[in-house]
Amino acid sequence: MPTSQPWVFVTIFAGAVSVAVAVWLYGWVHRQDAGTKKAQEVASWIREGATSYLRRLYLALTLVAVALGIIIAIVFSFDIEHLGTEAISVDPLRGGGMALAFVVGAVCSAVAGYMGMSVAVAANVRSAAAANEGINQSFRVAFYAGSVMGLAMVGLAAIGMGTVYLLTGDPEIVLGFSFGASTLALLAKAGGGIYTKTADIAADLVGKVELGIPEDDPRNPAVIADLVGDNVGDVAGMGADIFDSYVASTVAVMLLGASLFQNDAVLQAKYTVFPLVLCALGIVASLIGIRFVRVGKNGKPGQALNRGTIITCAILAVLTTAVVLLGDYKLGVLWATLAGLATGIVVGFTSDYFTSSENRPVIETARVSGSGAAINIITGFSYGLISTVPSIIGIALATLISYYLAEWSGLSGIYGVGISAVGMLSVSGMIVSSDAYGPIVDNARGIAEMAGMSQKVIDTADVLDAAGNTAKAITKGFAISAAALTVLTLFAAYAEVVGTRGVELSISLRDPMVIVGVLLGAVTPPLFSALTMLSVTDNAFKMIGEIRRQFREYPGILAGTEKPDYAACVDLAAQGALMSLVLPGFLAIFLPILVGFVLGPEALGGFLGGSIFTGIIFALLMSNAGGLWDNAKKFIESGEHGGTGSDAHKASVVGDTVGDPFKDTAGPSLNTLITVMSLVSSLFAPIIAAFHLF
Amino acid sequence: MPTSQPWVFVTIFAGAVSVAVAVWLYGWVHRQDAGTKKAQEVASWIREGATSYLRRLYLALTLVAVALGIIIAIVFSFDIEHLGTEAISVDPLRGGGMALAFVVGAVCSAVAGYMGMSVAVAANVRSAAAANEGINQSFRVAFYAGSVMGLAMVGLAAIGMGTVYLLTGDPEIVLGFSFGASTLALLAKAGGGIYTKTADIAADLVGKVELGIPEDDPRNPAVIADLVGDNVGDVAGMGADIFDSYVASTVAVMLLGASLFQNDAVLQAKYTVFPLVLCALGIVASLIGIRFVRVGKNGKPGQALNRGTIITCAILAVLTTAVVLLGDYKLGVLWATLAGLATGIVVGFTSDYFTSSENRPVIETARVSGSGAAINIITGFSYGLISTVPSIIGIALATLISYYLAEWSGLSGIYGVGISAVGMLSVSGMIVSSDAYGPIVDNARGIAEMAGMSQKVIDTADVLDAAGNTAKAITKGFAISAAALTVLTLFAAYAEVVGTRGVELSISLRDPMVIVGVLLGAVTPPLFSALTMLSVTDNAFKMIGEIRRQFREYPGILAGTEKPDYAACVDLAAQGALMSLVLPGFLAIFLPILVGFVLGPEALGGFLGGSIFTGIIFALLMSNAGGLWDNAKKFIESGEHGGTGSDAHKASVVGDTVGDPFKDTAGPSLNTLITVMSLVSSLFAPIIAAFHLF
């Protein structure tokens, strides 16, 4: 593939530039003023807590990676393509390569997450300190810290995928890399989600509800765990989640590209490599776009973030148009890229509509809260259900447009759908940067309060925080729609991989095995959500016990004369979160394999389909309803319907607490769940197909 | 079809016997002692309210039936089978016949519902009066009143389907009858669900919460609307819902039977008529089973109801075995019938497990309620999600068993799946009887309280009510699993009907149109649920305004010296409920047609599939979570975790209020929604297929 190889080098180079900029920004953030001694002390507690969690997470990851790596090395050493038809040959190089790719994928995702989280912890306190100088300086620290993760993530992904492909020339090995990244994402996202809400709920129930002390009060033993949670759940978790979709969509399209033009090696290589081209262009667009994100002395941070996103999308559109025209690509890939970008924006703004306090859903939910918590819940939940409709229509339109325009221009339709996912995700550098900004400024506010900083600092932090919440709603919509298109592509890639092994898959809804597969797949996301949410309440009860024990045994804590044992709560949350992952993680990885072996490849196709459909709907429902309840509470706190302390406010607090595990634990993990299940299926598809031919 | 015609007469005869028994029981109930003057007065208010609602409902129904009837008469007068291929011929007889069948279907369902509701209203007060004589007499009145609707329903359905088939010999015309029944069911079930919860929530919020007066206090202007609601939602609504599944599954299997053995008219007729045979046997089994439902002086009413169900199922199994062996039917139909019955029982008991206060889900939800309403909601919702898993596995197993055993015995697999649905539903006479019993005793308790009857009466009514709740959970599980198998059969019937028009439907998940169809179908049930739930809160707010107005303008009401204007609240609830149906009803009937015409028959296949998958999951989730919250509250009220008035109790009341529209409005209407959408699609399939061939 001589004509396309330069592009692989370009991708690796763009990735290296991205990582270099991330490293430079990492240093820049650390060189900023770290504030008062008290603030630094608080920050050090958060750093210790975060490190302690990461140590446990990476230990768990290592165990899982070694175990799965060995399985992969063994399984893929057999020449499964010819299982049953001729003598079985053994190729340990392929098995070893696949296992290595798997481990490298997990490590790359872990490194990006580690950089992102460690810079976030450093940036919390520095952003608070910078608030003394004004909103523009404080914003810059937080946003550039967020960019560290965004750029490290896309950079490492580009380097990793490019290198694996360069060395092996086999997209199926790159699938191993993607599976590694997704396995980490599952642990990081679901674990982080459980961690953060365990700490949040326990801290609130004992602190705010039982004792009436304010949020982020340093006397509360769970307060540090709560602040750590924002970093591990929202920063590291969301980063891993998008890393996972980013890599998975790129790999899936490479696989689909490799099945095009099977008798023209040059064209085949050209379209196999095109998703990497889009990654490279997306990195360039993000690097430029990030430069445009800045606010003046009285600027609006929310506008700055949106401006950055829109400029990045525009640059990507221009660059893609240029490359497609100059490089003589078929126009279908351009339309697909643009459809993907447009859908990302539509779904993002839909989330914004349903969760912003300027629109009917939040206003109405706040209004009815005066009649009690139950009405608040019913109303918010109903709007959450309705919010799935425009997003699903957007995803459906993107699918149809990219499919038929790609087919019309002479490519396979499903390749076009994949390109629309990659197009949407190629601007992840920018998206993750503005997403990670949110929890950083949220934490800056917490530190400012705990360290007794001035009211001006707290007010500035509040303004920055509000912008973060809007950005978060938009990026969540983005992440879910990207995951939806990604898994639809992976689904096609699965069928493609099975097809190349001689099993022509007809995943027809008129086949009872497919129906049964769909039914089983459709209940998996609800089951997964339930398990993670029950883990949150279980772990929160354990932590409540620990908080009460500390207050009881050390009365000095409540009096403010004694330092609580923050580490005990941090450890409890970390241990609980990781233990809770065993069953859901097992489900995600082994259920598809089980369905495939027992019920056959058609049923597995149905299973994936079913999990995708309900997965997307529950993810949208839970994210949007959660955001809506959160903002309805904030709307009331701004003075509407009686303000803080009124009956309406109490009702809205219940809604917000229900929404917490919805939007931060169960909802977003579903993306990763369906990606992991689709990847596992594609990876094991040849074996399952061979087993059923046998 | 000479050899099978006798069975059609047997079916009609069995239906007539069933109706005759229902009429006799109707008279028997009315001949019972109607209690004190005060009790009769209260009962007369309920009767007036119920009648006023029914008048409005039937007016609305008449309008819809006339409009749809005209459309059907016109559309089906064209010889659409040959549209586009030759000159179009016009056959007004077929169009008129179809329209007539549609109207008769709606009328039969309406008559059964009217009988059921009017006897229920009469039985409320008589059951309360009989409680003076002991639990056995009170139970008998309530159960026999419930049987009126059960027997009238299956009887009228059998007569209607048998007669239409006898006259036309064309199962597609019977489809028109089924569509009529379903249209009424949609109005009755969703409308009744909105009505009952509007009144319930409004009465509770003003009465119990604002003023602190007890439930069922005669001073509350909404109390009669609340009692009427139990009858219109739970009695008439649930009856219409099962009537709808009962007819739809039978018709779908008749259609599938007509496509078997196309070159052996005798065998073809035999299997076309077999679902009617099952209906006849089910009526016999129910008539016998009902005789076994009785309690002694100190008997347990719950056991009596379960005994009746199990005996009925056993009799049906014996009768079916005899008919299959003696009638030389293929064994596949026997296995399918048994698989259906077993699944009904499994799903019913799953619902019971998740909603009974003897098991972990309710106990755990009650336990965590001490930490507030939010934790109660998260826990109950999570268990509701988990509860979908065993039910779905049960439905999947029934599908596989009946499919492959039917195929193995030489029939089409999907015919077997249909037979399992009909087998399950053939005992509906018994199921509906014990289901309708629940709201009757619930209301008896309300009347006893309002009419100031003795504590002994209230205690007896409480015991009867508890048994009703368990029976209700089981029959809801039954209704949902029956609907699931029914719509899977209808789905196949749709493809079959399209197939006979020369379009070989491949509803493959690898086709983007199918994917888009599935995505759109999958969001329809969530959207429908949301619209009905928002209607409940909207209407409840209007009624709250009315209640407050009455208390304000007539201070004598609260003092107990003046009678509130009950009729105003009744009218408000009725009007609100029917107005709220316009949009959801429109969605249910026109969305499938729209998808079919715009995106094609494959996309419509996907749309139906998607709506079925999420429809079943949301129906199970909402019914079970709602029942669980209800019983967690009752468990706490029984003295656990601090009992009534404790913090845990307050939290559980929030959960129960959220659960009310879940389990009584949104959840159960989804059955009807997916049935109606599948029926509309099958009915219009020939036209859609012709349009796309054109």
Side-chain angles (χ1 to χ4, degrees), chain B residues 42-85:
Chain B
V42 172
S44 76
W45 295 333
I46 299 178
R47 192 169 52 242
E48 281 163 27
T51 314
S52 135
Y53 170 74
L54 279 189
R55 212 171 22 239
R56 282 175 188 274
L57 177 69
Y58 291 151
L59 181 66
L61 173 73
T62 309
L63 293 176
V64 172
V66 168
L68 283 177
I70 292 174
I71 294 177
I72 289 172
I74 294 173
V75 166
F76 288 89
S77 289
F78 289 98
D79 181 7
I80 38 188
E81 306 202 18
H82 302 103
L83 186 70
T85 52

Short mmCIF file of all heavy atoms in Angstrom, two decimals, chain B residues 42-85:
data_model
loop_
_atom_site.label_atom_id
_atom_site.label_comp_id
_atom_site.label_asym_id
_atom_site.label_seq_id
_atom_site.Cartn_x
_atom_site.Cartn_y
_atom_site.Cartn_z
N VAL B 42 -73.67 6.91 48.48
CA VAL B 42 -72.30 6.99 47.98
C VAL B 42 -72.18 6.22 46.68
O VAL B 42 -71.60 6.70 45.68
CB VAL B 42 -71.31 6.45 49.04
CG1 VAL B 42 -69.92 6.36 48.44
CG2 VAL B 42 -71.33 7.29 50.29
N ALA B 43 -72.74 5.01 46.67
CA ALA B 43 -72.66 4.18 45.46
C ALA B 43 -73.32 4.88 44.27
O ALA B 43 -72.83 4.78 43.14
CB ALA B 43 -73.33 2.83 45.71
N SER B 44 -74.41 5.59 44.56
CA SER B 44 -75.09 6.25 43.44
C SER B 44 -74.21 7.35 42.86
O SER B 44 -74.21 7.60 41.66
CB SER B 44 -76.44 6.80 43.87
OG SER B 44 -76.26 7.98 44.62
N TRP B 45 -73.44 8.04 43.70
CA TRP B 45 -72.52 9.05 43.18
C TRP B 45 -71.49 8.40 42.24
O TRP B 45 -71.16 8.94 41.19
CB TRP B 45 -71.79 9.77 44.32
CG TRP B 45 -72.69 10.58 45.20
CD1 TRP B 45 -73.87 11.16 44.85
CD2 TRP B 45 -72.48 10.87 46.58
NE1 TRP B 45 -74.41 11.81 45.93
CE2 TRP B 45 -73.58 11.65 47.02
CE3 TRP B 45 -71.48 10.57 47.51
CZ2 TRP B 45 -73.70 12.13 48.33
CZ3 TRP B 45 -71.59 11.04 48.81
CH2 TRP B 45 -72.70 11.81 49.21
N ILE B 46 -70.97 7.26 42.70
CA ILE B 46 -69.98 6.58 41.85
C ILE B 46 -70.61 6.15 40.54
O ILE B 46 -70.03 6.32 39.46
CB ILE B 46 -69.39 5.36 42.59
CG1 ILE B 46 -68.68 5.79 43.87
CG2 ILE B 46 -68.42 4.60 41.69
CD1 ILE B 46 -68.11 4.66 44.69
N ARG B 47 -71.85 5.61 40.64
CA ARG B 47 -72.52 5.16 39.42
C ARG B 47 -72.71 6.32 38.45
O ARG B 47 -72.43 6.21 37.26
CB ARG B 47 -73.86 4.52 39.76
CG ARG B 47 -74.48 3.76 38.59
CD ARG B 47 -75.66 2.90 39.00
NE ARG B 47 -76.64 3.67 39.74
CZ ARG B 47 -77.00 3.43 41.00
NH1 ARG B 47 -76.44 2.42 41.66
NH2 ARG B 47 -77.89 4.17 41.61
N GLU B 48 -73.15 7.44 39.00
CA GLU B 48 -73.34 8.61 38.12
C GLU B 48 -72.03 9.03 37.46
O GLU B 48 -71.97 9.33 36.28
CB GLU B 48 -73.90 9.79 38.91
CG GLU B 48 -75.39 9.69 39.16
CD GLU B 48 -75.84 10.63 40.28
OE1 GLU B 48 -75.16 11.66 40.50
OE2 GLU B 48 -76.84 10.32 40.95
N GLY B 49 -70.97 9.05 38.28
CA GLY B 49 -69.67 9.46 37.74
C GLY B 49 -69.20 8.52 36.66
O GLY B 49 -68.71 8.95 35.60
N ALA B 50 -69.33 7.23 36.92
CA ALA B 50 -68.89 6.23 35.94
C ALA B 50 -69.70 6.36 34.67
O ALA B 50 -69.15 6.31 33.55
CB ALA B 50 -69.02 4.83 36.53
N THR B 51 -71.00 6.54 34.82
CA THR B 51 -71.85 6.65 33.64
C THR B 51 -71.49 7.88 32.83
O THR B 51 -71.42 7.85 31.60
CB THR B 51 -73.33 6.73 34.07
OG1 THR B 51 -73.57 5.72 35.06
CG2 THR B 51 -74.25 6.50 32.90
N SER B 52 -71.23 8.97 33.54
CA SER B 52 -70.89 10.20 32.84
C SER B 52 -69.59 10.03 32.06
O SER B 52 -69.46 10.50 30.93
CB SER B 52 -70.79 11.34 33.86
OG SER B 52 -69.65 12.12 33.65
N TYR B 53 -68.62 9.30 32.63
CA TYR B 53 -67.37 9.07 31.91
C TYR B 53 -67.62 8.19 30.69
O TYR B 53 -67.14 8.46 29.59
CB TYR B 53 -66.34 8.40 32.82
CG TYR B 53 -65.13 7.91 32.07
CD1 TYR B 53 -64.18 8.80 31.58
CD2 TYR B 53 -64.95 6.55 31.82
CE1 TYR B 53 -63.07 8.35 30.89
CE2 TYR B 53 -63.85 6.10 31.12
CZ TYR B 53 -62.91 7.00 30.66
OH TYR B 53 -61.82 6.55 29.96
N LEU B 54 -68.39 7.11 30.92
CA LEU B 54 -68.64 6.18 29.81
C LEU B 54 -69.36 6.88 28.66
O LEU B 54 -69.09 6.62 27.49
CB LEU B 54 -69.45 4.99 30.28
CG LEU B 54 -68.68 3.88 30.99
CD1 LEU B 54 -69.56 2.67 31.20
CD2 LEU B 54 -67.43 3.48 30.20
N ARG B 55 -70.30 7.79 29.02
CA ARG B 55 -71.01 8.50 27.97
C ARG B 55 -70.02 9.26 27.09
O ARG B 55 -70.04 9.19 25.86
CB ARG B 55 -72.03 9.46 28.59
CG ARG B 55 -73.25 9.64 27.73
CD ARG B 55 -74.38 10.42 28.40
NE ARG B 55 -73.97 11.27 29.48
CZ ARG B 55 -74.41 11.17 30.74
NH1 ARG B 55 -75.30 10.23 31.05
NH2 ARG B 55 -73.99 11.98 31.68
N ARG B 56 -69.11 9.98 27.75
CA ARG B 56 -68.11 10.73 26.99
C ARG B 56 -67.21 9.80 26.18
O ARG B 56 -66.88 10.06 25.03
CB ARG B 56 -67.21 11.52 27.94
CG ARG B 56 -67.84 12.79 28.46
CD ARG B 56 -66.87 13.38 29.48
NE ARG B 56 -67.48 14.50 30.16
CZ ARG B 56 -67.46 15.74 29.68
NH1 ARG B 56 -66.86 16.00 28.54
NH2 ARG B 56 -68.03 16.72 30.36
N LEU B 57 -66.80 8.69 26.82
CA LEU B 57 -65.90 7.77 26.13
C LEU B 57 -66.57 7.20 24.89
O LEU B 57 -65.96 7.15 23.82
CB LEU B 57 -65.50 6.63 27.08
CG LEU B 57 -64.61 5.54 26.46
CD1 LEU B 57 -63.22 6.07 26.15
CD2 LEU B 57 -64.50 4.33 27.39
N TYR B 58 -67.83 6.79 25.04
CA TYR B 58 -68.50 6.17 23.90
C TYR B 58 -68.82 7.19 22.82
O TYR B 58 -68.83 6.85 21.63
CB TYR B 58 -69.74 5.40 24.36
CG TYR B 58 -69.37 4.17 25.18
CD1 TYR B 58 -70.20 3.68 26.16
CD2 TYR B 58 -68.15 3.52 24.97
CE1 TYR B 58 -69.85 2.55 26.91
CE2 TYR B 58 -67.78 2.42 25.70
CZ TYR B 58 -68.63 1.93 26.69
OH TYR B 58 -68.26 0.84 27.41
N LEU B 59 -69.03 8.43 23.21
CA LEU B 59 -69.22 9.48 22.21
C LEU B 59 -67.93 9.62 21.39
O LEU B 59 -67.95 9.64 20.15
CB LEU B 59 -69.58 10.80 22.89
CG LEU B 59 -69.82 11.95 21.93
CD1 LEU B 59 -71.06 11.69 21.09
CD2 LEU B 59 -69.98 13.27 22.69
N ALA B 60 -66.80 9.72 22.11
CA ALA B 60 -65.52 9.84 21.43
C ALA B 60 -65.29 8.64 20.53
O ALA B 60 -64.86 8.76 19.38
CB ALA B 60 -64.39 9.97 22.45
N LEU B 61 -65.61 7.47 21.08
CA LEU B 61 -65.40 6.24 20.33
C LEU B 61 -66.23 6.24 19.05
O LEU B 61 -65.75 5.84 17.98
CB LEU B 61 -65.80 5.03 21.18
CG LEU B 61 -65.78 3.71 20.41
CD1 LEU B 61 -64.37 3.27 20.15
CD2 LEU B 61 -66.57 2.65 21.14
N THR B 62 -67.48 6.69 19.18
CA THR B 62 -68.35 6.70 18.01
C THR B 62 -67.76 7.58 16.91
O THR B 62 -67.69 7.19 15.75
CB THR B 62 -69.75 7.22 18.40
OG1 THR B 62 -70.19 6.47 19.54
CG2 THR B 62 -70.73 7.05 17.28
N LEU B 63 -67.27 8.75 17.31
CA LEU B 63 -66.65 9.64 16.32
C LEU B 63 -65.47 8.96 15.64
O LEU B 63 -65.36 8.95 14.41
CB LEU B 63 -66.18 10.94 17.00
CG LEU B 63 -67.30 11.84 17.53
CD1 LEU B 63 -66.71 13.04 18.26
CD2 LEU B 63 -68.18 12.31 16.37
N VAL B 64 -64.57 8.38 16.48
CA VAL B 64 -63.38 7.73 15.92
C VAL B 64 -63.79 6.56 15.03
O VAL B 64 -63.26 6.37 13.93
CB VAL B 64 -62.46 7.25 17.07
CG1 VAL B 64 -61.32 6.41 16.51
CG2 VAL B 64 -61.92 8.44 17.84
N ALA B 65 -64.77 5.78 15.51
CA ALA B 65 -65.16 4.59 14.77
C ALA B 65 -65.78 4.97 13.43
O ALA B 65 -65.50 4.34 12.40
CB ALA B 65 -66.14 3.75 15.59
N VAL B 66 -66.60 6.01 13.43
CA VAL B 66 -67.22 6.42 12.17
C VAL B 66 -66.14 6.89 11.20
O VAL B 66 -66.08 6.46 10.03
CB VAL B 66 -68.28 7.53 12.42
CG1 VAL B 66 -68.69 8.16 11.10
CG2 VAL B 66 -69.47 6.95 13.15
N ALA B 67 -65.23 7.74 11.70
CA ALA B 67 -64.19 8.28 10.83
C ALA B 67 -63.32 7.15 10.28
O ALA B 67 -63.12 7.03 9.06
CB ALA B 67 -63.34 9.28 11.60
N LEU B 68 -62.80 6.29 11.17
CA LEU B 68 -61.94 5.21 10.71
C LEU B 68 -62.72 4.22 9.85
O LEU B 68 -62.20 3.69 8.87
CB LEU B 68 -61.31 4.49 11.90
CG LEU B 68 -60.14 5.20 12.59
CD1 LEU B 68 -59.67 4.41 13.80
CD2 LEU B 68 -58.98 5.37 11.61
N GLY B 69 -63.99 4.00 10.23
CA GLY B 69 -64.82 3.06 9.46
C GLY B 69 -64.97 3.52 8.02
O GLY B 69 -64.85 2.72 7.08
N ILE B 70 -65.19 4.82 7.83
CA ILE B 70 -65.34 5.35 6.46
C ILE B 70 -64.03 5.17 5.69
O ILE B 70 -64.01 4.70 4.56
CB ILE B 70 -65.76 6.84 6.50
CG1 ILE B 70 -67.19 6.93 7.05
CG2 ILE B 70 -65.66 7.47 5.12
CD1 ILE B 70 -67.66 8.35 7.28
N ILE B 71 -62.92 5.51 6.37
CA ILE B 71 -61.61 5.34 5.70
C ILE B 71 -61.42 3.88 5.29
O ILE B 71 -61.04 3.58 4.16
CB ILE B 71 -60.47 5.79 6.64
CG1 ILE B 71 -60.57 7.30 6.90
CG2 ILE B 71 -59.11 5.44 6.04
CD1 ILE B 71 -59.53 7.82 7.87
N ILE B 72 -61.70 2.99 6.25
CA ILE B 72 -61.50 1.56 5.96
C ILE B 72 -62.40 1.12 4.81
O ILE B 72 -61.96 0.41 3.89
CB ILE B 72 -61.78 0.73 7.23
CG1 ILE B 72 -60.67 0.96 8.25
CG2 ILE B 72 -61.92 -0.75 6.91
CD1 ILE B 72 -60.93 0.35 9.59
N ALA B 73 -63.68 1.55 4.86
CA ALA B 73 -64.61 1.13 3.81
C ALA B 73 -64.12 1.57 2.44
O ALA B 73 -64.15 0.81 1.47
CB ALA B 73 -66.00 1.71 4.09
N ILE B 74 -63.58 2.80 2.37
CA ILE B 74 -63.12 3.29 1.07
C ILE B 74 -61.86 2.56 0.63
O ILE B 74 -61.78 2.00 -0.47
CB ILE B 74 -62.86 4.81 1.14
CG1 ILE B 74 -64.18 5.55 1.37
CG2 ILE B 74 -62.19 5.31 -0.14
CD1 ILE B 74 -64.03 7.02 1.63
N VAL B 75 -60.87 2.54 1.54
CA VAL B 75 -59.57 1.98 1.17
C VAL B 75 -59.70 0.52 0.74
O VAL B 75 -59.12 0.10 -0.27
CB VAL B 75 -58.59 2.12 2.34
CG1 VAL B 75 -57.36 1.25 2.12
CG2 VAL B 75 -58.18 3.57 2.52
N PHE B 76 -60.48 -0.27 1.51
CA PHE B 76 -60.51 -1.69 1.23
C PHE B 76 -61.52 -2.07 0.14
O PHE B 76 -61.69 -3.24 -0.16
CB PHE B 76 -60.73 -2.49 2.51
CG PHE B 76 -59.52 -2.47 3.39
CD1 PHE B 76 -59.35 -1.47 4.34
CD2 PHE B 76 -58.52 -3.40 3.23
CE1 PHE B 76 -58.21 -1.42 5.12
CE2 PHE B 76 -57.38 -3.36 4.00
CZ PHE B 76 -57.23 -2.36 4.95
N SER B 77 -62.18 -1.05 -0.41
CA SER B 77 -63.05 -1.33 -1.55
C SER B 77 -62.24 -1.47 -2.83
O SER B 77 -62.68 -2.07 -3.79
CB SER B 77 -64.09 -0.21 -1.73
OG SER B 77 -65.02 -0.28 -0.70
N PHE B 78 -61.03 -0.89 -2.83
CA PHE B 78 -60.19 -1.03 -4.01
C PHE B 78 -59.49 -2.37 -3.98
O PHE B 78 -59.09 -2.84 -2.92
CB PHE B 78 -59.15 0.10 -4.07
CG PHE B 78 -59.77 1.42 -4.38
CD1 PHE B 78 -60.08 2.31 -3.36
CD2 PHE B 78 -60.09 1.76 -5.68
CE1 PHE B 78 -60.68 3.51 -3.64
CE2 PHE B 78 -60.68 2.97 -5.97
CZ PHE B 78 -60.99 3.85 -4.95
N ASP B 79 -59.35 -2.94 -5.14
CA ASP B 79 -58.67 -4.24 -5.20
C ASP B 79 -57.17 -3.98 -5.15
O ASP B 79 -56.48 -4.01 -6.15
CB ASP B 79 -59.06 -4.96 -6.48
CG ASP B 79 -58.37 -6.32 -6.53
OD1 ASP B 79 -57.75 -6.69 -5.51
OD2 ASP B 79 -58.45 -6.97 -7.57
N ILE B 80 -56.71 -3.67 -3.95
CA ILE B 80 -55.33 -3.24 -3.78
C ILE B 80 -54.33 -4.34 -4.07
O ILE B 80 -53.16 -4.08 -4.29
CB ILE B 80 -55.12 -2.76 -2.34
CG1 ILE B 80 -55.92 -3.65 -1.43
CG2 ILE B 80 -55.53 -1.32 -2.23
CD1 ILE B 80 -55.97 -3.23 -0.04
N GLU B 81 -54.81 -5.59 -4.09
CA GLU B 81 -53.86 -6.66 -4.33
C GLU B 81 -53.21 -6.55 -5.70
O GLU B 81 -52.11 -7.04 -5.91
CB GLU B 81 -54.56 -8.01 -4.23
CG GLU B 81 -55.27 -8.16 -2.93
CD GLU B 81 -55.51 -9.61 -2.57
OE1 GLU B 81 -54.84 -10.48 -3.14
OE2 GLU B 81 -56.36 -9.84 -1.71
N HIS B 82 -53.91 -5.93 -6.59
CA HIS B 82 -53.36 -5.90 -7.94
C HIS B 82 -53.01 -4.48 -8.36
O HIS B 82 -52.78 -4.22 -9.53
CB HIS B 82 -54.34 -6.54 -8.93
CG HIS B 82 -54.63 -7.95 -8.55
ND1 HIS B 82 -55.81 -8.33 -7.93
CD2 HIS B 82 -53.87 -9.06 -8.64
CE1 HIS B 82 -55.75 -9.63 -7.69
NE2 HIS B 82 -54.60 -10.10 -8.11
N LEU B 83 -52.96 -3.60 -7.38
CA LEU B 83 -52.63 -2.20 -7.65
C LEU B 83 -51.31 -2.13 -8.40
O LEU B 83 -50.31 -2.67 -7.96
CB LEU B 83 -52.53 -1.43 -6.33
CG LEU B 83 -52.32 0.06 -6.42
CD1 LEU B 83 -53.57 0.75 -6.94
CD2 LEU B 83 -51.94 0.64 -5.07
N GLY B 84 -51.31 -1.43 -9.50
CA GLY B 84 -50.06 -1.22 -10.21
C GLY B 84 -49.78 -2.30 -11.23
O GLY B 84 -49.06 -2.05 -12.19
N THR B 85 -50.33 -3.47 -11.01
CA THR B 85 -50.01 -4.52 -11.97
C THR B 85 -51.08 -4.65 -13.05
O THR B 85 -50.79 -4.97 -14.17
CB THR B 85 -49.85 -5.88 -11.28
OG1 THR B 85 -51.00 -6.10 -10.46
CG2 THR B 85 -48.61 -5.90 -10.41
#
